Amino acid sequence: MRVENPQAQADAPAFALSRRDALIGVAVTAASALLPFSVSAASSSPSTGHGPMDFVTTKDGVDIFFKDWGPRDAQPIVFHHGWPLSSDDWDAQMLYFLGKGFRVVAFDRRGHGRSTQVSDGHDMDHYAADASAVVEKLDLKNAVHIGHSTGGGQVARYVAKFGQPQGRVAKAVLVSAVPPIMVKTASNPGGLPMEVFDGFRAQLAANRAQFFLDVAAGPFYGFNRPGAKVSQGVIENWWRQGMMGSAKAHYEGIKAFSETDQTEDLKAMSVPTLVMHGDDDQIVPIADSSELSVKLVQKGTLKVYKGFPHGMLTTHADVINPDLLAFIKG
């Protein structure tokens, strides 16, 4: 096991302009400087023969929405989102890796985003089976699977139960992920008390819209920390994604991400696995998650980010993305 501790980097300064012409100029300049690929290059590339978004129907009749961007012959990276979000949460990573020549795939978990708001199956077994349905439809091989938070649990279950037995997985990444198990039990004394998750359920049932605003504006991105650079756009985008999904799926998903013991999934993971976590994660505390997970996987590397929050994929994409690329290419 290797442990690395990169230092946090300062966020780029935010700015606001009021005049229309100035905004247009800034937008053009920013697009040229920040996008990982040029518009002309992207538009002139040959067609891959598959659309940017589609659905796959699972064996139990659930329509799973997915995005599939990039050339078919490139190595695929599959992104698994956190609760209660959607594949849109991976925008910063999908554009980055698309610009690096990869094929990028992301999908909305059942009951989330644009996928069917089905009544049943809000558990890790169904989540992993749905992921497999997408992978099999697209016939993805030698894929890297990256999961954030609940999506990290989804990756662990998918890799152990489907990906490795089918020979489709090259590497895995668990980012701020929930395994091995979040809730406090006799065998997991360092976990969070059940009352914490009961509180989530109560707040969701009472006023889901306000609860989601409070999470995004507070602990998820560390915006409640002194001196934090708060992005209203990030908060509203989190809320938008959450409110697209099913209240029932979100309610039952709390049990899935907090009470599923994934110890055996982790032990079964034999592919190289990068475990990434911020040490200021207020949603999934690092000591009872990543620090334990990396000891259970067979080929694990832990990367700890000082001061980074749970949503570091968004707030610190400039740091995380190159680290992901280095692992994938290494």
Side-chain angles (χ1 to χ4, degrees), residues 7-317:
Q7 296 296 311
Q9 296 183 12
D11 290 335
F15 59 86
L17 296 175
S18 58
R19 295 187 59 181
R20 180 176 178 273
D21 290 345
L23 280 172
I24 294 173
V26 169
V28 171
T29 303
S32 301
L34 299 179
L35 280 179
F37 54 92
S38 70
V39 174
S40 58
S43 61
S44 63
S45 61
S47 172
T48 61
H50 58 294
M53 54 182 125
D54 209 341
F55 289 85
V56 59
T57 303
T58 66
K59 292 178 179 179
D60 60 340
V62 180
D63 289 333
I64 301 295
F65 170 87
F66 68 88
K67 308 174 187 180
D68 177 15
W69 302 341
R72 284 187 182 274
D73 58 353
Q75 183 177 21
I77 304 176
V78 184
F79 298 95
H80 304 243
H81 67 79
W83 176 98
L85 304 173
S86 74
S87 56
D88 293 352
D89 200 43
W90 291 104
D91 285 354
Q93 284 68 47
M94 292 188 73
L95 290 176
Y96 177 84
F97 284 101
L98 184 64
K100 298 295 183 181
F102 290 88
R103 180 179 181 179
V104 292
V105 176
F107 61 97
D108 294 353
R109 186 174 300 120
R110 63 170 58 205
H112 295 61
R114 288 138 292 202
S115 292
T116 305
Q117 293 199 9
V118 64
S119 178
D120 302 318
H122 306 298
D123 54 70
M124 284 296 176
D125 282 336
H126 281 87
Y127 296 167
D130 294 349
S132 184
V134 174
V135 170
E136 290 174 52
K137 176 182 174 69
L138 300 177
D139 193 25
L140 303 180
K141 298 173 182 176
N142 193 39
V144 178
H145 286 262
I146 303 177
H148 175 244
S149 196
T150 300
Q154 183 172 292
V155 165
R157 181 62 52 90
Y158 165 76
V159 169
K161 191 172 182 179
F162 297 98
Q164 284 181 172
Q166 295 172 355
R168 293 182 177 275
V169 179
K171 295 180 179 181
V173 184
L174 309 179
V175 185
S176 309
V178 298
I181 181 172
M182 285 192 71
V183 72
K184 182 177 182 179
T185 65
S187 59
N188 185 45
L192 296 172
M194 181 62 77
E195 290 75 16
V196 171
F197 305 107
D198 287 342
F200 288 173
R201 281 182 277 262
Q203 292 176 78
L204 189 151
N207 190 339
R208 182 169 64 132
Q210 187 60 54
F211 176 47
F212 284 1
L213 277 178
D214 293 342
V215 172
F220 196 93
Y221 295 111
F223 290 158
N224 56 343
R225 294 306 197 200
K229 297 179 180 179
V230 178
S231 169
Q232 190 62 32
V234 166
I235 294 169
E236 292 180 9
N237 189 44
W238 199 100
W239 183 89
R240 175 191 66 84
Q241 292 179 70
M243 295 305 293
M244 286 173 65
S246 158
K248 188 174 191 291
H250 294 161
Y251 188 93
E252 295 181 2
I254 295 171
K255 179 180 178 66
F257 74 65
S258 65
E259 298 181 46
T260 305
D261 189 341
Q262 300 198 255
T263 300
E264 296 306 315
D265 293 329
L266 294 168
K267 288 180 178 179
M269 293 177 68
S270 60
V271 297
T273 303
L274 176 62
V275 182
M276 312 171 85
H277 218 113
D279 69 359
D280 193 34
D281 191 323
Q282 301 172 68
I283 304 295
V284 181
I286 186 175
D288 200 57
S289 54
S290 290
E291 290 182 358
L292 301 180
S293 292
V294 74
K295 298 175 183 178
L296 294 171
V297 297
Q298 297 176 36
K299 300 175 183 177
T301 298
L302 176 62
K303 227 171 165 56
V304 180
Y305 296 85
K306 184 174 178 57
F308 281 22
H310 187 64
M312 63 184 185
L313 283 159
T314 297
T315 59
H316 296 83

